[in-house]
């Protein structure tokens, strides 16, 4: 039944895309494309011009799309699609969109993705014993579709897959100080776990009571509950990073959850939502569908005061997330802010800052902080990320008798990199990139990691071009 559902959704998407391409082929020629976003005039107030540009963009899209096709946010007919994040999370309205768009008579389809072909060395100087190197290819691909239901209803579905299990193997890729999940009964430490083949299969329905009030229902198997910021794979400030943040399991580690039900209401610039979901993280079999439990909950308040900003604060109870520690429940608190500023010539500035706290009964709370930014300048993107994470003895799989059972190790990480688009063909880009990271660890960990280990990587990134509109 589960595989039949997936196959049905894929077949619907493929058939719709083929039909959309056929209809577009028959359509009369359109005028030349122009960028989806343009920089507001330098001498005008940022808030006023950004708001004006977003309204113009939305109105122009609605005029160019066939009648009845919803060119809108996934959970609101009255919000721009740029606000789409991961799960039900919000991005700023001024965020860039990278993908391919098709439409048929009643449906709108989008395809997204990211593929890195890379070499990574997580301890260039061989300072410690925990670093590793690898040739690999982190990746994810998403299809989405939506259509109107009546005048005020909107139906939407997402299909997201990852081939990480094939390209990364069961133990994932090396990443110093990363922790979470397991392989062959052993905790994954200093490695990022591979994502499941079926990373999201979700459906939703929303209803617009007015221009400023919407309500929606979302179900995913798997899906993403209402907790944390938009997941790193979908944040504009992190799109050029092959690596997951080492704070992943303090913020967006629940982005693949087998069993999620979310209800939400938007009141103008605010959104309140709550989720019931399965607390257990995906098991070691990355091809199957795990058991739905609905034993955990979360709530999130989102606020977008202007087109350039998206804020959220959330709280959740996660029942037994780790397979190897079934008796440990986690109370997670997060807060984040995402900023996006479009400029001339398809240039963009995107910044994210977030904080997360994991609290387990009988243990001191563990904090994480992240600040990342990316600046797009024509074909070049430069990016940086700073993280501070408190890692427990259990997180790093250390001997409590030697290091102290209640010890928390502060880990600081600074990363920087750049990419350059080599090719741009058929709305697809191929970029060459490189990145380095420096880790600042406590003296007690120098024996295992060395003092301030350095990681380097080079890669090719294949990704969709910036989405543009007909003007």
């Amino acid at each position: 039944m589960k595989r039949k559902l997936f196959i049905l959704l894929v077949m619907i998407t493929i058939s719709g895309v083929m039909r959309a391409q056929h209809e577009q082929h028959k359509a009369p020629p359109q005028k030349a494309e122009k960028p989806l976003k343009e920089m507001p005039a330098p001498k005008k107030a940022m808030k006023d011009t950004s708001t004006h540009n977003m309204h113009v963009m939305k109105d122009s899209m609605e005029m160019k799309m066939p009648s009845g096709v919803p060119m809108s946010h996934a959970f609101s007919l009255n919000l721009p699609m740029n606000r789409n994040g991961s799960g039900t999370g919000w991005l700023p309205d001024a965020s860039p969109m990278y993908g391919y768009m098709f439409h048929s008579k009643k449906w709108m389809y989008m395809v997204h993705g990211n593929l890195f072909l890379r070499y990574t060395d997580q301890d260039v100087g061989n300072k410690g014993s925990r670093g590793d190197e690898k040739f690999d290819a982190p990746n994810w691909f998403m299809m989405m579709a939506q259509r109107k239901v009546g005048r005020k209803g909107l139906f939407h579905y997402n299909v997201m897959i990852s081939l990480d299990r094939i390209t990364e193997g069961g133990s994932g890729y090396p990443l110093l100080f990363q922790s979470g999940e397991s392989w062959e009964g052993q905790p994954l430490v200093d490695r990022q776990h591979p994502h499941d083949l079926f990373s999201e299969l979700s459906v939703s329905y929303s209803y617009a009571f007015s221009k400023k009030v919407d309500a929606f229902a979302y179900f995913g198997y798997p899906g993403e509950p209402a907790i944390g910021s938009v997941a790193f794979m979908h944040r504009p400030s992190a799109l050029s990073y092959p690596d997951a943040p080492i704070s992943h399991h303090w913020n967006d580690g629940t982005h693949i959850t087998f069993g999620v039900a979310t209800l939400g209401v938007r009141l103008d610039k605010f959104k309140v939502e709550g989720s019931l979901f399965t607390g257990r993280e995906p098991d070691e079999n990355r091809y199957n569908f795990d058991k739905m439990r609905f034993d955990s909950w979360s709530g999130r308040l989102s606020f977008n005061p202007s087109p350039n900003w998206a804020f959220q604060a959330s709280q959740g109870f996660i029942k037994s997330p780790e397979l190897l520690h079934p008796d440990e429940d986690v109370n997670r608190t997060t807060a984040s802010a995402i900023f996006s500023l479009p400029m001339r010539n398809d240039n963009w500035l995107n910044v994210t800052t977030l904080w997360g706290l994991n609290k387990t009964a009988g243990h001191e709370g563990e904090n994480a902080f992240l600040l990342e930014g990316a600046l797009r300048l024509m074909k070049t993107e430069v990016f940086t990320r700073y993280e501070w994470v408190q890692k427990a003895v259990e997180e790093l799989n250390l001997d409590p008798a030697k290091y102290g059972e209640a010890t928390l190790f502060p880990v600081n990480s600074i990363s920087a990199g750049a990419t350059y688009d080599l090719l741009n063909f058929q709305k697809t880009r191929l970029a060459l990139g490189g990145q380095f990271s420096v880790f600042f660890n406590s003296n007690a960990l120098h024996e295992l990691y060395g003092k301030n280990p350095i990681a380097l990587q080079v890669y090719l990134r294949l990704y969709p071009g910036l989405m543009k509109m007909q003007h």
Side-chain angles (χ1 to χ4, degrees), residues 191-261:
R191 305 190 73 86
Q192 166 62 35
H193 62 77
H195 291 107
D196 281 51
L197 173 62
F198 306 108
S199 297
E200 183 177 10
L201 294 174
S202 67
V203 295
S204 67
Y205 173 80
S206 64
Y207 187 85
F209 293 95
S210 70
K211 289 288 186 180
K212 295 186 177 182
V213 179
D214 303 299
F216 70 88
Y218 166 96
F219 175 78
Y221 184 52
E224 180 180 329
I227 185 171
S229 74
V230 169
F232 73 92
M233 306 166 83
H234 304 279
R235 292 197 301 263
S237 57
L239 292 178
S240 290
Y241 280 94
D243 294 332
I246 58 175
S247 57
H248 179 42
H249 289 265
W250 276 250
N251 173 58
D252 50 0
T254 53
H255 73 108
I256 301 177
T257 300
F258 282 92
V260 181

Side-chain angles (χ1 to χ4, degrees), residues 283-295:
D283 62 23
E284 296 181 6
N285 185 345
R286 302 295 173 175
Y287 300 115
N288 69 345
F289 288 82
D290 300 351
K291 179 181 178 180
M292 288 190 288
R293 303 170 188 265
F294 293 103
D295 51 10

Side-chain angles (χ1 to χ4, degrees), residues 113-117 137-141 167 460-463:
N114 223 356
L115 170 64
F116 297 91
L117 302 173
N139 62 87
W140 62 269
F141 310 94
T167 63
L460 291 172
R461 178 192 175 202
L462 190 66
Y463 68 106

Side-chain angles (χ1 to χ4, degrees), residues 23-328:
E23 293 179 4
Q24 287 179 335
H25 179 72
K26 296 189 299 182
Q30 301 290 339
K31 295 182 179 180
E33 293 182 342
K34 290 190 176 181
L36 185 62
K37 301 284 192 300
E38 292 188 3
M39 181 180 179
K43 294 184 179 181
K44 294 184 179 180
M46 180 61 65
K47 180 178 179 180
D48 294 340
T49 51
S50 297
T51 302
H52 172 72
N53 286 345
M54 294 307 299
H55 285 312
V56 170
M57 177 194 68
K58 184 179 178 184
D59 293 343
S60 299
M61 286 179 173
E62 290 177 346
M63 290 174 61
K64 290 298 179 183
M65 295 296 288
S67 176
V69 175
M71 192 74 168
S72 70
H73 187 266
F75 307 105
S76 172
L77 287 169
N78 297 302
L79 293 176
M81 62 193 309
N82 305 62
R83 195 179 292 201
N84 286 336
S86 61
T88 59
W90 277 358
L91 287 172
D93 294 351
S95 300
M97 294 188 300
Y98 296 90
Y100 313 98
M101 179 182 294
F102 311 91
H103 62 266
S104 61
K105 188 174 181 180
K106 294 185 178 180
W107 288 84
M108 186 274 289
Y109 305 90
M110 288 183 64
V111 178
H112 310 266
N114 223 356
L115 170 64
F116 297 91
L117 302 173
R118 71 160 179 185
Y119 167 75
T120 180
D121 186 343
Q122 286 294 298
D123 187 3
V124 175
N126 294 318
K127 295 183 176 182
S129 58
R130 288 205 162 190
D132 198 1
E133 59 181 330
K134 189 174 186 177
F135 288 96
D136 64 350
N139 62 87
W140 62 269
F141 310 94
M142 173 176 281
M143 298 177 291
M144 57 162 279
Q146 60 190 45
R147 61 165 293 169
K148 281 187 176 180
V149 180
R151 291 181 58 250
K152 297 184 177 181
L154 178 66
F155 174 76
H156 177 99
Y157 70 81
N158 278 347
V159 177
M160 181 174 174
I161 64 173
S162 173
L163 303 179
D164 276 358
R165 179 60 181 84
I166 298 172
T167 63
E168 309 304 315
S171 63
Y173 59 78
L175 180 59
L176 281 185
F177 297 102
Q178 183 65 294
S179 56
E181 303 195 18
S182 64
W183 174 242
E184 296 182 342
Q186 297 299 315
L188 284 172
V189 181
D190 302 308
R191 305 190 73 86
Q192 166 62 35
H193 62 77
H195 291 107
D196 281 51
L197 173 62
F198 306 108
S199 297
E200 183 177 10
L201 294 174
S202 67
V203 295
S204 67
Y205 173 80
S206 64
Y207 187 85
F209 293 95
S210 70
K211 289 288 186 180
K212 295 186 177 182
V213 179
D214 303 299
F216 70 88
Y218 166 96
F219 175 78
Y221 184 52
E224 180 180 329
I227 185 171
S229 74
V230 169
F232 73 92
M233 306 166 83
H234 304 279
R235 292 197 301 263
S237 57
L239 292 178
S240 290
Y241 280 94
D243 294 332
I246 58 175
S247 57
H248 179 42
H249 289 265
W250 276 250
N251 173 58
D252 50 0
T254 53
H255 73 108
I256 301 177
T257 300
F258 282 92
V260 181
T262 301
L263 294 176
V265 176
R266 177 183 72 93
L267 302 172
D268 196 11
K269 298 179 180 181
F270 292 88
K271 179 184 61 170
V272 179
E273 55 190 328
S275 299
L276 292 176
F277 63 97
T278 300
R280 179 64 53 84
E281 294 177 342
D283 62 23
E284 296 181 6
N285 185 345
R286 302 295 173 175
Y287 300 115
N288 69 345
F289 288 82
D290 300 351
K291 179 181 178 180
M292 288 190 288
R293 303 170 188 265
F294 293 103
D295 51 10
S296 306
W297 62 265
S298 67
R300 179 166 60 193
L301 174 64
S302 300
F303 175 49
N304 282 26
S306 74
N308 303 102
W309 288 97
F311 298 91
Q312 72 83 30
S314 54
Q315 175 71 42
F317 168 78
I318 306 174
K319 177 71 175 177
S320 185
E322 293 287 346
L323 177 66
L324 301 183
H325 302 280
D327 297 329
E328 292 185 359

Side-chain angles (χ1 to χ4, degrees), residues 352-379:
T352 298
T353 183
L354 64 87
W355 163 78
L357 170 67
N358 284 339
K359 184 70 174 68
T360 302
H363 295 81
E364 190 175 342
E366 301 168 14
N367 290 272
F369 173 79
L370 174 147
L371 175 63
E372 67 186 12
L375 177 63
R376 165 69 66 167
L377 297 172
M378 303 296 285
K379 295 182 178 181

Side-chain angles (χ1 to χ4, degrees), residues 375-440:
L375 177 63
R376 165 69 66 167
L377 297 172
M378 303 296 285
K379 295 182 178 181
T380 301
E381 182 162 288
V382 292
F383 51 90
T384 185
R385 175 187 286 166
Y386 167 73
E387 293 188 85
W388 169 72
V389 185
Q390 291 180 308
K391 294 279 184 173
V393 169
E394 182 181 293
E395 285 281 340
L396 296 178
N397 196 29
L398 301 175
D399 182 1
K402 179 178 180 179
Y403 293 93
E405 186 173 355
T407 303
L408 292 179
F409 297 99
V411 177
N412 291 269
S413 170
I414 298 176
S415 301
T419 66
Y420 180 80
D421 289 344
L422 301 174
L423 297 173
N424 188 350
F425 58 98
Q426 296 297 313
K427 300 181 180 180
T428 301
R429 299 183 184 185
L430 178 67
L432 174 66
Q435 176 189 317
F436 76 91
S437 302
V438 181
F439 301 89
F440 300 91

Side-chain angles (χ1 to χ4, degrees), residues 344-359:
R344 292 189 185 278
N345 301 318
D346 295 352
N347 296 334
W348 242 280
L349 174 64
N350 295 286
V351 180
T352 298
T353 183
L354 64 87
W355 163 78
L357 170 67
N358 284 339
K359 184 70 174 68

